[in-house]
């Protein structure tokens, strides 16, 4: 027993020299597929009441596209609770994001158990989905490269050679036409399920993510990349087709705010003196660590714009490292640079206006439209009639409408945060007709009594 | 659960038999003269595309009408409007001429030349001269009943089941369904429904035929004729089947195989028991004589001795006996050697043990269990000891060095270590959390159940490997 204790103390001494601070429980190394899976399972085992692991499908080579969900009620959408997601590693050789999400999962679980108020608050009021790798096949290819320096291209695309960030249906084209000629300004992918399932050009990973986006009413999202350091926001594809052109979306103001909310806590990203990653890089479009997608370079078929144009979800793209697949011993540094940004960005989901749209009987109206005067992009209510409309601070007129109902407009003053609660009760056209009829009857009755007929 | 278990049995049985049998051992009734042309077509390798589509149509229509009772139009016309049921059946009837035994010919094209199929069936029929007259009626291949009325979906399911039964080839079903799926005529869920219905029909067939071994004339068909049974169809089918079956029992009688007779007796009794009051009249001694060679099965039966398990028990007995009969017959006909038969049955018993353990979550309590189980017990002890050791250490030290002492180990984790660590943290947190909130001690057994459930669902979805899941469950059970 004594020897045992001695060994323990020695071990403790050794360990304390190598571990650091509150993040002592996270080990900063690259996770291959099996290790990734086990790391997520460990987080789940440690925090089973606030986490759940699920898979949205399989990669081309059959690896599960794993998601770790964190919420006070994992597995269900609570009415009024916004949904958030992080997706990383869609380019298999851009490895930092993948690792960061694993560390984030461990971190949130640890912090929750250690009583961190911010984290507890966040987990209780948000449903957070973390997908460390959208392209596990690509990652394996990139990670298996021999030697120190990983190639700039190997492992980028999926196992079929498809660049997943060019593989999404190009809805930018459609919105640009609609801007000129009139047409819908949201939810542009018609006949969703059929179009997706029958589209042979979509990679299985892309299809799985599209289904995921359709199933869960995501409000805010970010997609993690590597190869540069900046927070990039819509639109990614230029209007005229030129290679560099600022392409503002209707929510340009809000997107800038969201991107800044990330970059501001990342000392490298927000450093105005930061030299470009490579000597000849053109980062003239980067301002305060953020950039418009089209202004940087045009990207058609990307996931970021697809989110915004096919669903209610606002997504930005985060480039987190000059090196796509840096050395393992730099991972800890990357974590420290990004930890606060990652948490703060999740908190951004609690901004703008949110609430419920119901009818006069109190029944929720799903798929009602919420439009904001001056912003040519509407969002819709989810199954419980709940909606979340991200807005920068200001005064707005918000309208709720649904087919067969009378539109209601409300004036709202929106602060930076938290979100302002605005509920709508919509009167159906039938009800209004009924009311008018009754009024008419009352008037007739009164008249006939007075005039005695 | 019972039906699932039974279904599993059936499936396993069919698959195994499929593996073991080389040729079909059961006679096929000859075609009526009407169908001579059909038979001739069968011999040619080429089937017109129309026929293929039409046949697939009819099956698809049958499936859909079975599901929703609303017939849909054929794909050929490329429209999906509701059609009058009668019109549909008429089209089925029309299609009959062109609806070759595409199943057989498909089978022929893909696996065995057409010639051998048809001649094979003919040869067997000729063996039974006395019955040639009786074997004229229902041809399982056509889509029309004896009297010319078109078939309902249930009939088609019945026919498929018959075909599988007589050919001893589950592949028949797979071929049809994969063809339909490929043509996009049915969805996956419809295919599942069809499979389920065919499995049920097959189950009925097997049980009925076990019964028919003994019963000659009138039979009180106690078993619930489920929706698959069309009156006429079933009569025709059972007529067809009664004869071959009784022939078998005659043949066996020649060999003075008393066991079979006894079993058949017991079958009848068991069947009667199914219907109602007689209950568990099966006396272990004689009827289950054969089953003494199946210790695991026997134990399984033993474990099902409560009242509500009566039906299950009897179904299992019936199925087992039928299986034994099949094997005996195959040995008799030289399809398999006696040694193969014996080893098949032995494997079956071992399989029962395994499946029981995994599906029902309990062991049959046999001392001579297969090796893996023994190993499990050992590991269980080790994990238990280790967990206990860790608990003790923790209580001794009770300071933060505990965690750091873990990390060098977790750096090279055996996965059970990492998981153990994670679970320990959770338990710690629960203890602390509940203490803070002034609640009573967290409910460990409820947590354990919840985790077991989650682990199972994760294993199913491919998120956790089976052995990892077992590790986790063991850790929880050792707490």
């Amino acid at each position: 027993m004594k020897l045992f204790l001695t060994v323990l103390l020695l071990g403790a001494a050794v360990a304390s020299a190598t571990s650091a601070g509150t993040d002592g429980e996270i080990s900063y190394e690259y996770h291959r597929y099996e290790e990734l899976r086990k790391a997520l399972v460990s987080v789940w085992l440690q925090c089973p009441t606030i986490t759940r692991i699920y898979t949205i499908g399989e990669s081309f080579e059959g690896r599960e596209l794993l998601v770790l969900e964190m919420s006070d009620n994992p597995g269900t959408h609570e009415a009024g609770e916004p949904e958030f997601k992080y997706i990383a590693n869609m380019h298999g050789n851009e490895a930092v994001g993948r690792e960061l999400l694993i560390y984030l999962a461990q971190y949130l679980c640890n912090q929750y158990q250690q009583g961190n108020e911010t984290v507890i608050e966040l987990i209780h009021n948000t449903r957070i989905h973390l997908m460390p790798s959208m392209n596990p096949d690509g990652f394996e290819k990139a990670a298996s490269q021999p030697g120190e320096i990983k190639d700039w291209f190997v492992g980028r695309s999926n196992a079929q050679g498809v660049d997943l960030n060019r593989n999404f249906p190009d809805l930018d084209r459609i919105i640009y036409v609609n801007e000129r000629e009139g047409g819908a300004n949201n939810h542009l992918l018609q006949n969703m399920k059929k179009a997706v399932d029958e589209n042979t050009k979509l990679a299985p990973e892309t299809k799985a993510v599209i289904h995921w986006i359709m199933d869960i009413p995501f409000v805010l999202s970010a997609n993690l990349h590597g190869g540069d350091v900046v927070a990039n926001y819509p639109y990614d594809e230029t209007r005229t087709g030129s290679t560099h052109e600022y392409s503002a979306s209707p929510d340009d103001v809000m997107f800038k705010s969201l991107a800044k909310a990330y970059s501001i806590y990342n000392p490298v990203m927000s450093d105005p003196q930061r030299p470009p990653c490579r000597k000849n890089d053109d980062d003239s479009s980067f301002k305060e660590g953020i950039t418009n997608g089209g202004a940087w370079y045009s990207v058609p078929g990307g996931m970021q714009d697809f989110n915004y144009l096919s669903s209610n979800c606002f997504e930005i793209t985060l480039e987190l490292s000059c090196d796509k697949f840096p050395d393992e011993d730099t991972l800890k540094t990357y974590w420290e640079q990004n930890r606060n940004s990652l948490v703060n960005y999740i908190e951004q989901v609690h901004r703008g206006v949110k609430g419920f749209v119901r009818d006069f009987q109190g029944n929720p109206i799903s798929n009602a439209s919420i439009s904001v005067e001056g912003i040519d992009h509407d969002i819709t209510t989810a199954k419980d009639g709940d909606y979340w409309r991200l807005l920068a601070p200001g005064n707005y007129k918000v309208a709720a409408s649904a087919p067969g109902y009378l539109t209601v407009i409300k004036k709202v003053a929106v602060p930076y945060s938290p979100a302002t609660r605005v509920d709508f009760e919509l009167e159906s056209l039938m009800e209004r007709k009924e009311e008018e009829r009754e009024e008419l009857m009352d008037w007739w009755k009164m008249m006939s009594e007075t005039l005695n007929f | 659960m019972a039906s699932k278990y039974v279904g599993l049995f059936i499936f396993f049985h069919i698959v195994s038999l499929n593996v073991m049998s080389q040729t079909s051992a059961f006679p096929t009734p000859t075609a009526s003269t009407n169908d001579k042309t059909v038979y001739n077509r069968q011999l040619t390798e080429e089937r017109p595309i129309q026929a293929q589509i039409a046949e697939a149509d009819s099956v698809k229509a049958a499936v859909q009408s079975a599901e929703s009772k609303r017939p849909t139009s054929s794909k050929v016309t490329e429209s999906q409007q509701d059609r009058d049921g009668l019109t549909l059946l008429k089209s089925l009837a029309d299609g009959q001429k062109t609806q070759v035994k595409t199943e057989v010919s498909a089978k022929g094209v893909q696996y065995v030349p057409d010639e051998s199929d048809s001649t094979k069936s003919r040869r067997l029929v000729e063996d039974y001269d006395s019955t040639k007259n009786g074997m004229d009626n229902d041809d399982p291949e056509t889509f029309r009943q004896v009297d010319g009325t078109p078939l309902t979906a249930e009939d088609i399911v019945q026919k498929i089941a018959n075909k599988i039964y007589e050919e001893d080839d589950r592949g028949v079903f797979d071929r049809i369904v994969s063809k339909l799926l490929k043509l996009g005529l049915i969805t996956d869920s419809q295919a599942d429904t069809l499979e389920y219905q065919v499995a049920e029909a097959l189950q009925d067939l097997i049980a009925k035929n076990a019964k028919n071994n003994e019963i000659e004339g009138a039979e009180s068909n106690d078993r619930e004729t489920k929706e698959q049974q069309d009156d006429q169809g079933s009569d025709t089918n059972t007529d067809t089947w009664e004869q071959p079956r009784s022939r078998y029992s005659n043949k066996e009688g020649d060999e003075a195989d008393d066991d079979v007779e006894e079993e058949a007796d017991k079958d009848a009794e068991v069947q009667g028991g199914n219907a109602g009051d007689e209950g568990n009249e099966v006396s272990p001694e004689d009827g289950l004589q054969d089953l003494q060679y199946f210790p695991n099965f026997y134990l399984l039966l033993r474990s099902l001795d409560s009242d509500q398990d009566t039906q299950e028990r009897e179904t299992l007995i019936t199925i087992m006996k039928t299986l034994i009969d099949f094997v005996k017959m195959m040995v008799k006909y030289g399809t398999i050697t006696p040694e193969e038969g014996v080893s098949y049955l032995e494997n079956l018993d071992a399989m029962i043990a395994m499946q029981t353990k995994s599906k029902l979550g309990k062991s049959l309590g046999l001392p001579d269990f297969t090796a893996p189980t023994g190993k499990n017990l050992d590991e269980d002890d080790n994990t238990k000891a280790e967990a206990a050791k860790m608990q003790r250490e923790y209580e001794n030290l009770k300071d933060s060095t505990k965690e750091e002492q873990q990390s060098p180990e977790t750096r090279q984790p055996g996965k059970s270590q990492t998981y153990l660590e994670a679970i320990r943290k959770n338990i710690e947190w629960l203890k602390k959390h509940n203490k803070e909130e002034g609640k009573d001690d967290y409910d460990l057994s409820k947590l354990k159940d919840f985790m077991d459930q989650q682990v199972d669902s994760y294993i199913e979805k491919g998120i956790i490997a089976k052995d990892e899941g077992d590790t986790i469950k063991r850790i929880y059970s050792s707490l």
Side-chain angles (χ1 to χ4, degrees), chain A residues 138-350:
Chain A
F139 181 82
E140 293 301 315
K141 221 178 270 177
S144 331
Q145 287 179 94
E148 285 295 304
I149 308 298
K150 304 272 187 264
D151 193 275
W152 195 253
F153 294 107
V154 171
R156 173 189 172 87
S157 51
N158 84 337
Q160 300 164 305
V162 175
D163 182 341
L164 298 177
N165 206 29
R166 304 287 184 279
N167 191 229
F168 282 79
D170 186 353
L171 302 178
D172 294 47
R173 291 274 121 250
I174 303 178
I175 197 70
Y176 291 156
V177 167
N178 289 1
E179 280 174 356
R180 291 196 303 270
E181 302 175 5
N185 68 11
N186 66 96
H187 290 80
L188 295 177
L189 193 63
Q190 296 307 320
N191 297 322
M192 214 85 72
K193 210 122 217 285
K194 198 157 173 284
V196 168
D197 290 333
E198 292 178 358
N199 186 340
T200 50
K201 293 212 184 76
L202 296 179
E205 296 89 347
T206 312
K207 272 201 186 135
V209 168
I210 295 178
H211 282 129
W212 192 34
I213 294 172
M214 298 306 127
D215 282 344
I216 299 184
F218 289 110
V219 179
L220 182 63
S221 161
N223 141 26
L224 277 56
H225 287 248
D228 216 313
V229 186
V230 72
N232 172 115
Y233 56 89
Y235 287 127
D236 262 343
E237 189 181 341
T238 55
R239 279 187 174 81
T240 59
S242 74
T243 44
H244 309 274
E245 182 185 77
Y246 195 102
S247 315
S249 68
D251 281 287
D252 194 55
V253 173
M254 186 64 202
F255 273 118
K256 288 220 273 273
S257 175
L258 291 169
K260 271 203 201 113
Y262 190 94
S263 69
I264 202 173
Y265 288 105
N266 180 326
V268 175
M269 203 183 274
S270 52
D271 178 1
Q273 312 299 336
R274 180 180 76 82
C277 286
R278 287 152 292 274
K279 208 159 53 124
N280 295 325
D281 273 359
D282 175 15
D283 52 2
S284 51
S285 61
F286 295 9
K287 294 186 174 24
E288 295 176 74
I290 69 172
T291 179
N292 168 263
W296 185 18
Y297 66 97
S298 182
V299 169
M303 185 163 73
Q304 171 195 277
D305 288 0
F306 179 82
N307 269 283
Y308 181 70
L309 294 172
S310 73
S311 77
N312 294 324
C313 185
F314 283 29
E315 177 164 295
I316 67 173
T317 304
L318 299 170
E319 302 276 350
L320 300 173
S321 57
C322 284
D323 225 335
K324 289 193 176 192
F325 207 134
D327 249 12
E328 192 169 74
D329 47 21
T330 59
L331 288 177
K332 184 148 180 291
T333 314
Y334 282 114
W335 167 245
E336 280 161 3
Q337 287 168 4
N338 283 284
R339 182 189 55 231
N340 296 329
S341 294
L342 286 168
V343 176
N344 189 49
Y345 184 74
I346 303 178
E347 299 192 54
Q348 301 298 301
V349 82
H350 297 286

Side-chain angles (χ1 to χ4, degrees), chain B residues 230-246:
Chain B
D230 180 12
D231 283 350
Q232 220 158 2
S234 73
D235 282 349
T236 323
N237 289 340
T238 44
D239 282 345
T240 316
W241 285 115
E242 265 182 308
Q243 272 139 356
R245 300 311 277 148
S246 51

Side-chain angles (χ1 to χ4, degrees), chain B residues 57-278:
Chain B
D57 269 348
S58 68
V59 178
K60 175 198 179 190
V63 170
Q64 286 187 338
S65 67
E67 281 192 310
S68 62
K69 297 287 180 209
R70 269 194 329 132
T72 58
S73 56
S74 69
K75 191 122 200 268
V76 178
T77 59
E78 300 261 314
S79 63
Q80 291 283 345
Q81 293 122 12
D82 287 324
R83 271 232 223 139
D84 190 17
L86 188 57
T87 325
L88 172 71
L89 292 175
K90 267 211 184 109
S91 73
L92 268 181
D94 287 340
Q96 190 261 335
K97 280 275 160 42
T98 55
Q99 280 158 11
V100 187
K101 283 169 253 192
T102 46
E103 301 163 24
V104 171
S105 46
K107 175 178 174 195
V109 167
Q110 288 163 23
Y111 292 92
V112 175
D114 280 329
E115 243 108 3
S116 70
D117 260 355
S118 58
T119 52
K120 173 179 68 171
S121 57
R122 288 213 183 112
R123 209 186 297 122
L124 283 166
V125 162
E126 277 151 18
D127 286 343
Y128 301 104
D129 285 329
S130 56
T131 64
K132 220 169 192 171
N133 300 329
M135 316 255 304
D136 56 350
N137 315 18
D138 195 21
D139 187 333
E141 306 309 327
T142 63
F143 287 85
R144 189 190 280 266
Q145 291 196 53
V146 180
D147 64 353
T149 59
L151 291 176
T152 64
E154 293 84 324
D155 290 329
I156 292 189
V157 171
Q158 194 62 33
K159 281 197 181 299
I160 296 178
N162 285 344
K163 180 115 188 75
I164 295 175
Y165 185 71
E166 75 186 31
E167 308 256 296
D168 255 12
D169 181 10
R170 192 183 185 276
V172 167
F173 179 82
D174 291 333
R175 277 189 286 281
I176 300 175
V177 167
S178 62
K179 198 154 43 116
L180 293 175
L181 284 171
K182 202 161 54 158
L183 288 172
L185 294 177
I186 62 173
T187 66
D188 278 1
S189 63
Q190 283 174 328
D192 283 350
T193 312
L194 183 59
E195 180 165 350
Y196 182 69
Q197 287 175 334
V198 169
E200 274 186 48
L202 200 48
Q203 176 190 325
D204 285 354
L205 259 181
I206 292 173
K208 209 185 315 150
N209 284 304
K211 186 166 87 160
N212 289 343
N213 266 337
E214 179 55 30
I215 294 173
E216 273 129 18
E219 52 186 329
S220 59
N221 202 346
D222 292 327
R223 311 209 89 198
E224 220 75 42
T225 53
K226 300 171 194 158
E227 66 271 20
Q228 278 89 356
Q229 293 289 14
D230 180 12
D231 283 350
Q232 220 158 2
S234 73
D235 282 349
T236 323
N237 289 340
T238 44
D239 282 345
T240 316
W241 285 115
E242 265 182 308
Q243 272 139 356
R245 300 311 277 148
S246 51
R247 257 198 317 289
Y248 290 146
S249 56
N250 286 341
K251 278 225 155 190
E252 286 164 36
D254 293 344
E255 305 219 359
D257 194 346
D258 294 326
D259 283 353
V260 177
E261 296 297 283
E262 273 176 356
E263 276 167 56
D265 282 333
K266 285 306 158 191
D267 277 342
E269 219 178 300
V270 164
Q271 289 304 317
N274 248 345
D277 338 294
E278 287 167 335

